[in-house]
Amino acid sequence: MSPFVRKVLTASGATAVQIADKTGGKYRIVEHLGSAHTPEDLAALVEAGKAKLRDPGQATLDFDTADKPRVASAVVKSSRSGLLIDTIRTVYERLGFDIIDDEAFFQLVAARLVEPTSKSDSVRVLDELGVDVVHRNTFLNSLVRAKDRDYRAQIAEKCFAHSVATTGISLLLYDVTTLYFEAEKEDALRQVGYSKERRVDPQIVVGLLVDRTGFPLEIGCFEGAKAETHTIIPVIKAFQDRHGVTDMVVGADAGMLSAKNLKELDDAGLRFIVGSRQTKAPHDLATHFRWNGEYTDDGQIIDTITPKGVKRLDPERVKKRREPVWSAEEHPDAWRVVWQYRRKRAMRDEQTLNLQRNRALAIIDGDKPAKKARFVKVTDEEKAFDEKAYERAMKLTGFKGYVTNIPVGTMPAAEVIGSYHDLWQVEQSFRMSKTDLRARPIFHRKRDAIEAHLTVVFTALAVSRFMQAATGASLKKIITSLRPLREFTGRVGGQDITFTPEVPRAVENMLQALEKS
Protein backbone atom coordinates (compact mmCIF):
# COMPACT_ATOMS: atom_id res chain seq x y z
CA MET A 1 0.00 0.00 0.00
CA SER A 2 1.33 3.48 -0.89
CA PRO A 3 2.32 5.83 1.94
CA PHE A 4 -0.47 8.08 3.24
CA VAL A 5 -1.04 10.76 5.87
CA ARG A 6 -2.41 9.28 9.08
CA LYS A 7 -4.03 11.12 12.04
CA VAL A 8 -3.96 9.47 15.48
CA LEU A 9 -5.46 10.81 18.72
CA THR A 10 -2.89 10.78 21.56
CA ALA A 11 -3.43 10.25 25.27
CA SER A 12 -2.91 13.97 25.93
CA GLY A 13 -5.78 14.91 23.63
CA ALA A 14 -3.53 16.06 20.78
CA THR A 15 -3.68 14.63 17.25
CA ALA A 16 -0.47 13.03 16.00
CA VAL A 17 0.11 13.37 12.24
CA GLN A 18 2.24 10.72 10.59
CA ILE A 19 3.25 9.44 7.18
CA ALA A 20 2.52 5.71 7.27
CA ASP A 21 1.97 2.70 5.07
CA LYS A 22 0.13 -0.56 5.62
CA THR A 23 1.66 -3.93 4.84
CA GLY A 24 0.15 -7.28 5.77
CA GLY A 25 -2.58 -5.60 7.78
CA LYS A 26 -0.04 -3.73 9.95
CA TYR A 27 0.71 -0.01 9.99
CA ARG A 28 4.32 1.12 9.70
CA ILE A 29 5.24 4.68 10.67
CA VAL A 30 7.46 6.16 7.96
CA GLU A 31 7.74 9.55 9.61
CA HIS A 32 6.20 11.38 12.57
CA LEU A 33 5.40 14.96 11.47
CA GLY A 34 4.26 16.32 14.83
CA SER A 35 1.24 16.69 17.12
CA ALA A 36 -1.56 19.20 16.60
CA HIS A 37 -3.49 20.88 19.39
CA THR A 38 -5.61 23.25 17.30
CA PRO A 39 -7.45 22.93 13.97
CA GLU A 40 -4.85 25.28 12.48
CA ASP A 41 -1.99 23.04 13.67
CA LEU A 42 -3.74 19.96 12.30
CA ALA A 43 -4.41 21.50 8.88
CA ALA A 44 -0.80 22.67 8.59
CA LEU A 45 0.67 19.26 9.49
CA VAL A 46 -1.69 17.38 7.17
CA GLU A 47 -0.83 19.72 4.29
CA ALA A 48 2.89 19.29 5.02
CA GLY A 49 2.46 15.52 4.87
CA LYS A 50 0.54 15.69 1.59
CA ALA A 51 3.20 17.93 0.12
CA LYS A 52 5.90 15.41 1.03
CA LEU A 53 3.93 12.64 -0.65
CA ARG A 54 3.34 14.72 -3.78
CA ASP A 55 7.06 15.52 -4.09
CA PRO A 56 8.96 12.30 -4.81
CA GLY A 57 12.21 14.20 -4.34
CA GLN A 58 11.55 14.16 -0.62
CA ALA A 59 11.66 10.37 -0.65
CA THR A 60 14.35 9.55 -3.20
CA LEU A 61 17.01 11.44 -5.14
CA ASP A 62 18.30 10.31 -8.54
CA PHE A 63 22.02 10.43 -9.35
CA ASP A 64 22.96 9.82 -13.00
CA THR A 65 26.29 8.09 -13.64
CA ALA A 66 28.18 7.58 -16.87
CA ASP A 67 27.12 3.95 -16.97
CA LYS A 68 23.48 3.99 -15.89
CA PRO A 69 21.09 5.82 -13.59
CA ARG A 70 21.45 4.94 -9.95
CA VAL A 71 18.78 5.55 -7.34
CA ALA A 72 19.90 6.41 -3.80
CA SER A 73 17.47 6.08 -0.91
CA ALA A 74 16.79 9.15 1.23
CA VAL A 75 16.07 8.30 4.85
CA VAL A 76 14.72 10.91 7.27
CA LYS A 77 16.75 10.71 10.49
CA SER A 78 15.15 13.50 12.48
CA SER A 79 12.93 16.56 12.32
CA ARG A 80 12.78 19.67 14.48
CA SER A 81 10.60 22.73 14.99
CA GLY A 82 13.79 24.73 14.80
CA LEU A 83 12.28 28.12 14.05
CA LEU A 84 10.04 27.95 17.10
CA ILE A 85 12.62 26.73 19.60
CA ASP A 86 15.34 29.02 18.25
CA THR A 87 13.00 32.01 18.41
CA ILE A 88 12.10 31.28 22.03
CA ARG A 89 15.77 30.81 22.94
CA THR A 90 16.75 34.03 21.17
CA VAL A 91 14.15 36.06 23.10
CA TYR A 92 15.11 34.28 26.34
CA GLU A 93 18.75 35.25 25.83
CA ARG A 94 17.93 38.78 24.63
CA LEU A 95 16.13 39.41 27.90
CA GLY A 96 19.27 38.21 29.69
CA PHE A 97 17.64 35.15 31.23
CA ASP A 98 20.57 32.99 30.12
CA ILE A 99 22.31 34.34 33.21
CA ILE A 100 20.71 31.23 34.70
CA ASP A 101 22.99 28.44 33.50
CA ASP A 102 20.33 25.73 33.61
CA GLU A 103 19.16 24.11 30.37
CA ALA A 104 16.41 22.23 32.20
CA PHE A 105 14.92 25.52 33.43
CA PHE A 106 14.95 26.93 29.88
CA GLN A 107 13.24 23.80 28.60
CA LEU A 108 10.53 24.10 31.27
CA VAL A 109 9.92 27.71 30.19
CA ALA A 110 9.84 26.72 26.50
CA ALA A 111 7.39 23.87 27.16
CA ARG A 112 5.19 26.25 29.20
CA LEU A 113 5.04 28.61 26.21
CA VAL A 114 4.41 25.96 23.55
CA GLU A 115 2.06 23.56 25.30
CA PRO A 116 1.54 24.05 29.03
CA THR A 117 1.29 20.71 30.78
CA SER A 118 2.74 18.78 33.72
CA LYS A 119 6.49 18.53 34.25
CA SER A 120 6.41 14.85 33.25
CA ASP A 121 4.46 15.51 30.05
CA SER A 122 6.81 18.35 29.14
CA VAL A 123 9.24 15.60 28.05
CA ARG A 124 6.77 14.58 25.33
CA VAL A 125 6.15 18.16 24.20
CA LEU A 126 9.84 18.95 23.87
CA ASP A 127 10.61 15.62 22.21
CA GLU A 128 7.97 16.30 19.57
CA LEU A 129 9.60 19.66 18.92
CA GLY A 130 12.93 17.93 18.30
CA VAL A 131 14.63 19.23 21.43
CA ASP A 132 17.37 17.18 23.06
CA VAL A 133 15.28 16.74 26.20
CA VAL A 134 16.80 16.43 29.64
CA HIS A 135 15.65 13.62 31.92
CA ARG A 136 12.43 14.05 33.90
CA ASN A 137 14.41 13.91 37.16
CA THR A 138 16.55 16.79 35.87
CA PHE A 139 13.38 18.88 35.56
CA LEU A 140 12.50 18.13 39.18
CA ASN A 141 16.05 18.96 40.28
CA SER A 142 15.82 22.22 38.34
CA LEU A 143 12.79 23.24 40.42
CA VAL A 144 14.84 22.63 43.56
CA ARG A 145 17.68 24.74 42.14
CA ALA A 146 15.22 27.47 41.22
CA LYS A 147 14.41 27.89 44.89
CA ASP A 148 17.88 27.29 46.34
CA ARG A 149 19.63 29.64 43.89
CA ASP A 150 16.81 32.18 43.80
CA TYR A 151 16.21 32.10 40.05
CA ARG A 152 13.25 34.45 40.51
CA ALA A 153 15.48 37.24 41.83
CA GLN A 154 17.78 36.90 38.82
CA ILE A 155 14.85 36.89 36.39
CA ALA A 156 13.27 39.87 38.17
CA GLU A 157 16.53 41.85 37.86
CA LYS A 158 16.59 41.28 34.10
CA CYS A 159 12.88 42.15 33.78
CA PHE A 160 13.53 45.38 35.65
CA ALA A 161 16.46 46.24 33.37
CA HIS A 162 14.35 45.57 30.26
CA SER A 163 11.46 47.71 31.50
CA VAL A 164 13.75 50.60 32.47
CA ALA A 165 15.40 50.49 29.02
CA THR A 166 12.08 50.37 27.13
CA THR A 167 8.83 51.43 28.79
CA GLY A 168 10.15 52.85 32.04
CA ILE A 169 8.82 52.23 35.54
CA SER A 170 7.16 55.57 36.18
CA LEU A 171 3.81 53.75 36.33
CA LEU A 172 3.44 50.26 37.81
CA LEU A 173 0.20 48.29 37.85
CA TYR A 174 -0.86 45.74 40.47
CA ASP A 175 -3.61 43.14 40.64
CA VAL A 176 -4.28 39.75 42.21
CA THR A 177 -5.74 36.46 41.09
CA THR A 178 -6.35 33.03 42.58
CA LEU A 179 -4.94 29.69 41.42
CA TYR A 180 -6.61 26.50 42.56
CA PHE A 181 -5.23 23.02 43.30
CA GLU A 182 -6.43 19.53 42.53
CA ALA A 183 -6.41 18.72 46.24
CA GLU A 184 -8.99 17.82 48.87
CA LYS A 185 -7.28 19.05 52.03
CA GLU A 186 -6.02 22.48 53.01
CA ASP A 187 -2.62 23.24 54.49
CA ALA A 188 -0.75 26.34 55.68
CA LEU A 189 -0.55 27.78 52.15
CA ARG A 190 -3.26 26.10 50.09
CA GLN A 191 -6.49 27.30 51.68
CA VAL A 192 -10.11 27.75 50.68
CA GLY A 193 -10.86 31.45 50.27
CA TYR A 194 -12.62 33.91 48.02
CA SER A 195 -12.13 32.50 44.52
CA LYS A 196 -12.30 34.68 41.42
CA GLU A 197 -13.40 31.51 39.60
CA ARG A 198 -16.10 30.71 42.19
CA ARG A 199 -14.43 27.41 43.14
CA VAL A 200 -14.29 25.73 46.55
CA ASP A 201 -10.91 24.02 46.04
CA PRO A 202 -7.85 24.95 48.08
CA GLN A 203 -6.10 27.86 46.39
CA ILE A 204 -3.33 30.41 46.64
CA VAL A 205 -3.51 34.15 46.04
CA VAL A 206 -1.01 35.50 43.51
CA GLY A 207 -0.09 39.18 43.25
CA LEU A 208 1.47 40.47 40.04
CA LEU A 209 3.24 43.80 39.48
CA VAL A 210 3.76 44.88 35.86
CA ASP A 211 4.82 47.99 33.98
CA ARG A 212 2.31 49.98 31.95
CA THR A 213 2.66 47.58 28.96
CA GLY A 214 1.92 44.50 31.08
CA PHE A 215 5.55 43.32 31.22
CA PRO A 216 6.00 41.44 34.54
CA LEU A 217 8.28 42.86 37.24
CA GLU A 218 7.39 41.09 40.49
CA ILE A 219 5.21 38.19 41.59
CA GLY A 220 4.08 37.23 45.08
CA CYS A 221 2.47 34.11 46.52
CA PHE A 222 0.08 34.26 49.50
CA GLU A 223 -2.20 31.99 51.51
CA GLY A 224 -5.50 31.20 49.79
CA ALA A 225 -7.61 32.83 52.49
CA LYS A 226 -5.59 36.08 52.56
CA ALA A 227 -7.52 39.24 51.76
CA GLU A 228 -6.54 40.96 48.50
CA THR A 229 -5.92 44.24 50.30
CA HIS A 230 -3.17 42.60 52.39
CA THR A 231 -1.07 41.57 49.37
CA ILE A 232 -0.15 44.80 47.61
CA ILE A 233 2.21 46.24 50.25
CA PRO A 234 4.45 43.10 50.53
CA VAL A 235 4.83 42.90 46.73
CA ILE A 236 5.58 46.61 46.37
CA LYS A 237 8.10 46.50 49.23
CA ALA A 238 9.80 43.42 47.74
CA PHE A 239 10.12 45.30 44.45
CA GLN A 240 11.53 48.38 46.20
CA ASP A 241 14.01 46.38 48.25
CA ARG A 242 15.17 44.43 45.22
CA HIS A 243 15.78 47.45 42.98
CA GLY A 244 16.07 50.43 45.34
CA VAL A 245 13.20 52.25 43.62
CA THR A 246 11.39 55.10 45.36
CA ASP A 247 9.94 57.33 42.63
CA MET A 248 7.04 55.60 40.90
CA VAL A 249 3.26 55.59 40.62
CA VAL A 250 1.34 52.44 41.58
CA GLY A 251 -2.06 51.78 39.97
CA ALA A 252 -4.57 49.29 41.38
CA ASP A 253 -8.31 48.68 41.25
CA ALA A 254 -10.86 49.43 43.97
CA GLY A 255 -10.21 46.05 45.60
CA MET A 256 -6.94 47.48 46.94
CA LEU A 257 -8.68 50.58 48.37
CA SER A 258 -8.14 50.50 52.12
CA ALA A 259 -7.08 53.36 54.35
CA LYS A 260 -4.17 51.28 55.67
CA ASN A 261 -2.86 50.47 52.16
CA LEU A 262 -2.99 54.06 50.98
CA LYS A 263 -1.27 55.32 54.13
CA GLU A 264 1.53 52.75 53.80
CA LEU A 265 2.07 53.60 50.14
CA ASP A 266 2.13 57.31 50.99
CA ASP A 267 4.49 56.75 53.95
CA ALA A 268 6.84 54.86 51.64
CA GLY A 269 7.03 57.96 49.43
CA LEU A 270 5.11 56.23 46.62
CA ARG A 271 2.43 57.86 44.52
CA PHE A 272 -0.72 55.89 43.80
CA ILE A 273 -3.85 55.86 41.64
CA VAL A 274 -6.53 53.55 43.01
CA GLY A 275 -10.10 53.05 41.84
CA SER A 276 -12.72 54.50 44.19
CA ARG A 277 -16.00 52.88 45.18
CA GLN A 278 -19.12 54.45 43.72
CA THR A 279 -20.73 54.58 47.17
CA LYS A 280 -18.28 57.38 48.05
CA ALA A 281 -19.57 59.60 45.25
CA PRO A 282 -22.48 61.32 47.12
CA HIS A 283 -20.13 62.73 49.75
CA ASP A 284 -17.19 63.46 47.42
CA LEU A 285 -19.48 65.14 44.86
CA ALA A 286 -21.70 66.97 47.32
CA THR A 287 -20.56 70.36 46.00
CA HIS A 288 -21.14 69.34 42.39
CA PHE A 289 -24.66 68.05 43.12
CA ARG A 290 -25.49 71.14 45.21
CA TRP A 291 -24.73 73.55 42.37
CA ASN A 292 -25.54 71.43 39.29
CA GLY A 293 -28.33 69.13 40.42
CA GLU A 294 -28.30 65.68 38.80
CA TYR A 295 -27.20 66.92 35.35
CA THR A 296 -23.64 66.18 34.26
CA ASP A 297 -22.11 66.60 30.81
CA ASP A 298 -20.82 63.50 29.06
CA GLY A 299 -17.11 63.18 29.79
CA GLN A 300 -17.18 65.82 32.52
CA ILE A 301 -14.32 65.55 35.05
CA ILE A 302 -14.63 66.74 38.64
CA ASP A 303 -11.35 67.12 40.53
CA THR A 304 -12.04 67.25 44.27
CA ILE A 305 -11.12 65.60 47.60
CA THR A 306 -12.19 62.49 49.53
CA PRO A 307 -11.68 61.64 53.24
CA LYS A 308 -8.75 59.42 54.15
CA GLY A 309 -10.73 57.41 56.68
CA VAL A 310 -14.05 57.50 58.46
CA LYS A 311 -13.71 61.17 59.37
CA ARG A 312 -16.05 63.30 57.29
CA LEU A 313 -14.99 66.38 55.35
CA ASP A 314 -16.20 69.83 56.39
CA PRO A 315 -19.89 70.02 55.34
CA GLU A 316 -19.54 73.80 54.94
CA ARG A 317 -17.41 73.30 51.83
CA VAL A 318 -20.52 72.86 49.66
CA LYS A 319 -21.32 76.57 50.12
CA LYS A 320 -18.47 77.36 47.73
CA ARG A 321 -19.11 76.53 44.12
CA ARG A 322 -15.43 75.90 43.42
CA GLU A 323 -14.06 72.43 44.22
CA PRO A 324 -11.04 72.40 46.57
CA VAL A 325 -7.61 71.87 45.00
CA TRP A 326 -5.94 69.06 46.95
CA SER A 327 -2.50 69.32 48.52
CA ALA A 328 -0.99 67.24 51.30
CA GLU A 329 -0.34 70.33 53.40
CA GLU A 330 -3.80 71.93 53.10
CA HIS A 331 -5.77 68.67 53.32
CA PRO A 332 -3.97 66.32 55.76
CA ASP A 333 -7.17 64.30 56.33
CA ALA A 334 -8.05 63.87 52.66
CA TRP A 335 -6.79 62.45 49.38
CA ARG A 336 -7.30 63.86 45.93
CA VAL A 337 -10.09 62.14 43.99
CA VAL A 338 -10.95 62.56 40.31
CA TRP A 339 -14.49 61.67 39.22
CA GLN A 340 -15.61 61.33 35.62
CA TYR A 341 -19.11 60.91 34.20
CA ARG A 342 -19.67 58.94 30.99
CA ARG A 343 -23.11 58.38 29.44
CA LYS A 344 -22.05 55.04 27.97
CA ARG A 345 -21.03 53.86 31.44
CA ALA A 346 -24.33 55.17 32.83
CA MET A 347 -26.29 53.01 30.37
CA ARG A 348 -24.33 49.91 31.43
CA ASP A 349 -24.78 50.77 35.11
CA GLU A 350 -28.55 51.27 34.66
CA GLN A 351 -28.88 47.89 32.95
CA THR A 352 -27.06 46.23 35.84
CA LEU A 353 -29.19 48.03 38.45
CA ASN A 354 -32.41 47.05 36.71
CA LEU A 355 -31.33 43.41 36.64
CA GLN A 356 -30.59 43.66 40.37
CA ARG A 357 -33.97 45.35 40.91
CA ASN A 358 -35.81 42.55 39.08
CA ARG A 359 -33.93 39.94 41.09
CA ALA A 360 -34.80 41.69 44.36
CA LEU A 361 -38.51 41.88 43.43
CA ALA A 362 -38.53 38.19 42.44
CA ILE A 363 -37.09 37.26 45.85
CA ILE A 364 -39.63 39.48 47.65
CA ASP A 365 -42.48 37.92 45.63
CA GLY A 366 -41.22 34.42 46.38
CA ASP A 367 -40.44 33.61 42.74
CA LYS A 368 -36.76 33.06 43.56
CA PRO A 369 -35.16 31.41 46.60
CA ALA A 370 -34.40 33.79 49.45
CA LYS A 371 -30.78 34.84 49.55
CA LYS A 372 -28.81 37.99 50.14
CA ALA A 373 -29.47 40.43 47.31
CA ARG A 374 -29.13 44.13 46.71
CA PHE A 375 -32.20 46.31 47.34
CA VAL A 376 -33.92 43.68 49.52
CA LYS A 377 -34.73 45.30 52.87
CA VAL A 378 -35.63 42.96 55.74
CA THR A 379 -37.57 44.33 58.76
CA ASP A 380 -39.19 42.02 61.34
CA GLU A 381 -38.70 39.12 58.91
CA GLU A 382 -40.67 41.03 56.28
CA LYS A 383 -39.03 41.61 52.91
CA ALA A 384 -39.52 44.85 51.03
CA PHE A 385 -37.89 46.64 48.12
CA ASP A 386 -35.47 49.38 49.21
CA GLU A 387 -36.67 52.15 46.92
CA LYS A 388 -34.42 54.83 48.41
CA ALA A 389 -31.27 52.73 47.97
CA TYR A 390 -32.28 52.02 44.37
CA GLU A 391 -32.84 55.74 43.66
CA ARG A 392 -29.47 56.64 45.22
CA ALA A 393 -27.71 54.06 43.06
CA MET A 394 -29.47 55.26 39.89
CA LYS A 395 -28.38 58.82 40.65
CA LEU A 396 -24.72 57.74 40.63
CA THR A 397 -24.74 55.74 37.38
CA GLY A 398 -22.02 56.78 34.98
CA PHE A 399 -19.60 58.05 37.63
CA LYS A 400 -16.17 56.49 38.16
CA GLY A 401 -13.69 57.72 40.77
CA TYR A 402 -9.91 57.62 41.02
CA VAL A 403 -8.16 58.27 44.35
CA THR A 404 -4.58 59.56 44.25
CA ASN A 405 -1.91 61.42 46.21
CA ILE A 406 -0.48 63.12 43.12
CA PRO A 407 -1.01 66.90 43.06
CA VAL A 408 -2.80 68.43 40.09
CA GLY A 409 0.37 70.38 39.20
CA THR A 410 2.21 67.09 38.72
CA MET A 411 -0.50 65.12 36.95
CA PRO A 412 -3.68 66.63 35.43
CA ALA A 413 -6.99 64.87 36.05
CA ALA A 414 -7.24 63.45 32.51
CA GLU A 415 -3.79 61.85 32.87
CA VAL A 416 -4.80 60.31 36.21
CA ILE A 417 -7.76 58.64 34.46
CA GLY A 418 -5.65 57.52 31.50
CA SER A 419 -2.98 56.02 33.74
CA TYR A 420 -5.57 54.05 35.70
CA HIS A 421 -7.08 52.67 32.51
CA ASP A 422 -3.74 51.01 31.73
CA LEU A 423 -4.76 48.45 34.37
CA TRP A 424 -6.21 46.29 31.59
CA GLN A 425 -2.57 45.37 30.83
CA VAL A 426 -2.10 43.56 34.14
CA GLU A 427 -5.50 41.91 33.68
CA GLN A 428 -4.36 40.71 30.25
CA SER A 429 -1.17 39.32 31.77
CA PHE A 430 -3.23 37.35 34.27
CA ARG A 431 -5.48 36.05 31.49
CA MET A 432 -2.37 34.94 29.59
CA SER A 433 -0.96 33.19 32.65
CA LYS A 434 -4.24 31.31 33.16
CA THR A 435 -5.02 30.48 29.51
CA ASP A 436 -1.96 30.57 27.24
CA LEU A 437 0.47 29.52 30.01
CA ARG A 438 -2.06 27.56 32.11
CA ALA A 439 -0.59 28.48 35.48
CA ARG A 440 -3.39 26.47 37.07
CA PRO A 441 -4.40 23.94 38.18
CA ILE A 442 -1.19 23.33 40.12
CA PHE A 443 -0.21 19.77 41.04
CA HIS A 444 2.61 20.60 43.48
CA ARG A 445 2.10 20.23 47.23
CA LYS A 446 5.04 21.88 48.96
CA ARG A 447 5.52 25.64 49.06
CA ASP A 448 9.04 25.54 47.56
CA ALA A 449 7.77 23.59 44.54
CA ILE A 450 4.80 25.94 44.15
CA GLU A 451 7.09 28.97 44.28
CA ALA A 452 9.40 27.35 41.68
CA HIS A 453 6.38 26.69 39.43
CA LEU A 454 5.41 30.36 39.68
CA THR A 455 8.98 31.34 38.75
CA VAL A 456 8.67 29.27 35.55
CA VAL A 457 5.30 30.91 34.78
CA PHE A 458 6.71 34.38 35.58
CA THR A 459 9.65 33.81 33.20
CA ALA A 460 7.40 32.44 30.45
CA LEU A 461 5.09 35.44 30.86
CA ALA A 462 8.04 37.82 30.34
CA VAL A 463 9.12 35.99 27.16
CA SER A 464 5.57 35.95 25.79
CA ARG A 465 4.96 39.66 26.53
CA PHE A 466 8.22 40.51 24.73
CA MET A 467 7.22 38.46 21.68
CA GLN A 468 3.72 39.91 21.58
CA ALA A 469 4.96 43.49 21.91
CA ALA A 470 7.51 42.98 19.12
CA THR A 471 5.20 41.25 16.62
CA GLY A 472 1.75 42.58 17.49
CA ALA A 473 0.53 38.96 17.39
CA SER A 474 -0.86 36.88 20.25
CA LEU A 475 1.23 34.14 21.81
CA LYS A 476 -1.13 31.53 20.35
CA LYS A 477 -0.69 32.98 16.86
CA ILE A 478 3.10 32.99 17.20
CA ILE A 479 3.22 29.36 18.39
CA THR A 480 0.77 28.02 15.79
CA SER A 481 2.61 29.87 13.01
CA LEU A 482 6.08 28.59 13.90
CA ARG A 483 5.40 25.12 15.26
CA PRO A 484 4.53 23.37 11.96
CA LEU A 485 7.63 24.76 10.19
CA ARG A 486 9.97 21.84 10.76
CA GLU A 487 13.44 21.23 9.41
CA PHE A 488 14.24 17.65 8.37
CA THR A 489 17.62 15.93 8.45
CA GLY A 490 18.03 12.94 6.17
CA ARG A 491 20.76 10.66 4.86
CA VAL A 492 21.17 10.61 1.10
CA GLY A 493 23.89 8.58 -0.52
CA GLY A 494 25.79 8.29 2.75
CA GLN A 495 25.61 12.03 3.47
CA ASP A 496 23.47 13.87 6.02
CA ILE A 497 21.51 16.74 4.50
CA THR A 498 19.21 19.15 6.35
CA PHE A 499 16.16 20.52 4.55
CA THR A 500 14.83 23.79 5.93
CA PRO A 501 11.13 24.65 5.73
CA GLU A 502 9.67 27.19 3.34
CA VAL A 503 8.72 30.17 5.50
CA PRO A 504 5.50 32.00 4.59
CA ARG A 505 5.71 35.78 4.16
CA ALA A 506 3.62 36.46 7.26
CA VAL A 507 6.00 34.39 9.39
CA GLU A 508 9.01 36.12 7.82
CA ASN A 509 7.53 39.47 8.83
CA MET A 510 7.01 38.15 12.35
CA LEU A 511 10.61 36.95 12.64
CA GLN A 512 11.95 40.23 11.24
CA ALA A 513 9.92 42.17 13.81
CA LEU A 514 11.49 40.09 16.58
CA GLU A 515 14.99 40.71 15.21
CA LYS A 516 14.42 44.48 15.13
CA SER A 517 12.97 44.65 18.64
Side-chain angles (χ1 to χ4, degrees):
M1 185 175 180
S2 300
F4 61 94
V5 177
R6 183 185 183 214
K7 295 177 285 186
V8 181
L9 189 66
T10 67
S12 67
T15 303
V17 180
Q18 306 160 340
I19 293 178
D21 63 20
K22 191 175 182 181
T23 305
K26 294 184 178 180
Y27 289 105
R28 181 178 69 89
I29 306 304
V30 177
E31 181 183 342
H32 178 74
L33 299 175
S35 295
H37 302 268
T38 66
E40 293 83 1
D41 273 351
L42 182 60
L45 287 173
V46 169
E47 182 57 34
K50 290 180 179 178
K52 292 173 74 66
L53 293 177
R54 285 195 300 267
D55 184 1
Q58 299 225 20
T60 61
L61 291 177
D62 292 338
F63 295 88
D64 292 334
T65 64
D67 300 323
K68 61 180 179 179
R70 178 170 58 87
V71 177
S73 298
V75 179
V76 175
K77 296 177 62 180
S78 63
S79 68
R80 176 175 179 265
S81 292
L83 276 176
L84 176 57
I85 290 299
D86 293 347
T87 297
I88 293 174
R89 191 180 291 277
T90 297
V91 173
Y92 185 88
E93 292 176 353
R94 188 172 300 174
L95 288 169
F97 295 164
D98 55 334
I99 190 174
I100 297 174
D101 185 17
D102 190 334
E103 175 64 17
F105 183 78
F106 166 76
Q107 291 189 11
L108 285 173
V109 172
R112 179 68 39 185
L113 287 161
V114 175
E115 186 188 332
T117 183
S118 67
K119 302 298 178 294
S120 298
D121 201 35
S122 293
V123 174
R124 173 193 59 80
V125 174
L126 295 165
D127 186 59
E128 289 179 356
L129 294 173
V131 176
D132 187 9
V133 192
V134 302
H135 192 274
R136 176 182 177 277
N137 290 343
T138 309
F139 281 149
L140 299 178
N141 292 335
S142 178
L143 293 179
V144 175
R145 292 192 295 272
K147 177 63 178 176
D148 293 345
R149 301 177 186 177
D150 203 358
Y151 285 180
R152 187 182 300 175
Q154 299 177 63
I155 295 295
E157 287 285 354
K158 296 301 179 181
C159 287
F160 177 78
H162 172 76
S163 184
V164 169
T166 54
T167 307
I169 58 165
S170 58
L171 174 66
L172 303 184
L173 309 170
Y174 180 80
D175 203 356
V176 299
T177 192
T178 53
L179 302 177
Y180 69 87
F181 290 77
E182 299 287 355
E184 296 181 359
K185 296 182 179 180
E186 299 178 87
D187 54 35
L189 176 63
R190 303 178 299 168
Q191 300 172 356
V192 175
Y194 172 74
S195 170
K196 291 181 177 291
E197 300 166 5
R198 303 183 186 279
R199 301 182 67 95
V200 294
D201 305 275
Q203 64 178 23
I204 58 173
V205 175
V206 177
L208 181 65
L209 187 70
V210 304
D211 68 16
R212 69 187 315 149
T213 67
F215 190 80
L217 295 171
E218 194 77 36
I219 194 168
C221 175
F222 304 92
E223 296 80 5
K226 198 175 190 70
E228 292 182 5
T229 54
H230 296 164
T231 65
I232 183 171
I233 300 301
V235 173
I236 295 294
K237 286 185 175 178
F239 178 80
Q240 282 188 291
D241 293 344
R242 195 188 302 280
H243 308 294
V245 176
T246 56
D247 186 20
M248 61 186 184
V249 178
V250 179
D253 67 15
M256 300 298 114
L257 183 64
S258 74
K260 183 174 182 293
N261 277 350
L262 299 190
K263 183 179 185 303
E264 288 195 38
L265 288 172
D266 191 60
D267 289 345
L270 297 174
R271 293 168 291 172
F272 59 78
I273 302 173
V274 180
S276 183
R277 296 186 178 92
Q278 205 174 54
T279 53
K280 293 179 175 289
H283 189 253
D284 295 353
L285 298 174
T287 301
H288 171 77
F289 291 137
R290 163 79 180 269
W291 294 95
N292 298 279
E294 296 185 11
Y295 178 77
T296 309
D297 291 328
D298 184 27
Q300 183 171 346
I301 295 174
I302 301 140
D303 202 333
T304 184
I305 60 177
T306 188
K308 283 185 175 180
V310 295
K311 185 178 179 179
R312 289 290 194 176
L313 299 177
D314 181 7
E316 295 296 312
R317 78 186 195 283
V318 301
K319 294 181 178 180
K320 296 181 181 180
R321 189 165 192 154
R322 185 165 174 260
E323 296 285 352
V325 179
W326 180 85
S327 72
E329 296 76 21
E330 293 183 29
H331 304 93
D333 296 323
W335 300 118
R336 180 187 177 196
V337 62
V338 176
W339 287 91
Q340 184 184 44
Y341 175 82
R342 298 304 299 265
R343 286 207 180 96
K344 188 174 181 180
R345 185 189 297 123
M347 292 174 63
R348 291 198 305 267
D349 290 348
E350 288 171 8
Q351 288 178 348
T352 300
L353 288 173
N354 285 327
L355 288 172
Q356 292 173 337
R357 177 181 182 274
N358 294 339
R359 179 180 181 83
L361 291 173
I363 291 173
I364 293 168
D365 294 339
D367 296 333
K368 283 196 173 183
K371 59 173 66 174
K372 187 176 180 180
R374 193 176 184 184
F375 306 131
V376 176
K377 182 170 57 176
V378 180
T379 54
D380 298 329
E381 298 185 358
E382 290 286 328
K383 296 185 183 69
F385 184 72
D386 194 338
E387 194 69 43
K388 289 184 178 180
Y390 175 74
E391 289 176 358
R392 283 196 303 269
M394 288 295 285
K395 180 180 177 181
L396 301 176
T397 57
F399 283 100
K400 174 68 178 175
Y402 312 86
V403 180
T404 182
N405 62 345
I406 307 174
V408 65
T410 303
M411 184 178 287
E415 191 175 339
V416 169
I417 296 170
S419 296
Y420 179 86
H421 286 179
D422 282 334
L423 273 173
W424 69 271
Q425 294 281 6
V426 68
E427 294 169 359
Q428 185 187 58
S429 289
F430 268 133
R431 283 196 298 273
M432 287 176 58
S433 67
K434 284 189 170 184
T435 55
D436 294 337
L437 304 178
R438 294 184 206 165
R440 53 86 174 113
I442 305 176
F443 299 95
H444 300 291
R445 294 183 299 105
K446 296 182 179 180
R447 178 157 198 150
D448 285 357
I450 292 169
E451 293 278 11
H453 170 78
L454 290 178
T455 299
V456 171
V457 173
F458 179 72
T459 308
L461 179 60
V463 173
S464 63
R465 294 297 314 208
F466 181 98
M467 291 195 295
Q468 289 189 158
T471 64
S474 68
L475 176 63
K476 181 178 180 181
K477 177 67 175 178
I478 295 169
I479 298 301
T480 55
S481 297
L482 296 178
R483 190 172 186 175
L485 302 178
R486 302 180 71 88
E487 61 184 40
F488 294 87
T489 299
R491 174 156 293 182
V492 182
Q495 293 184 340
D496 287 348
I497 301 177
T498 298
F499 299 89
T500 58
E502 182 178 356
V503 181
R505 176 62 60 86
V507 177
E508 281 185 5
N509 294 339
M510 189 182 295
L511 296 174
Q512 288 173 4
L514 282 168
E515 287 178 6
K516 294 176 181 177
S517 59

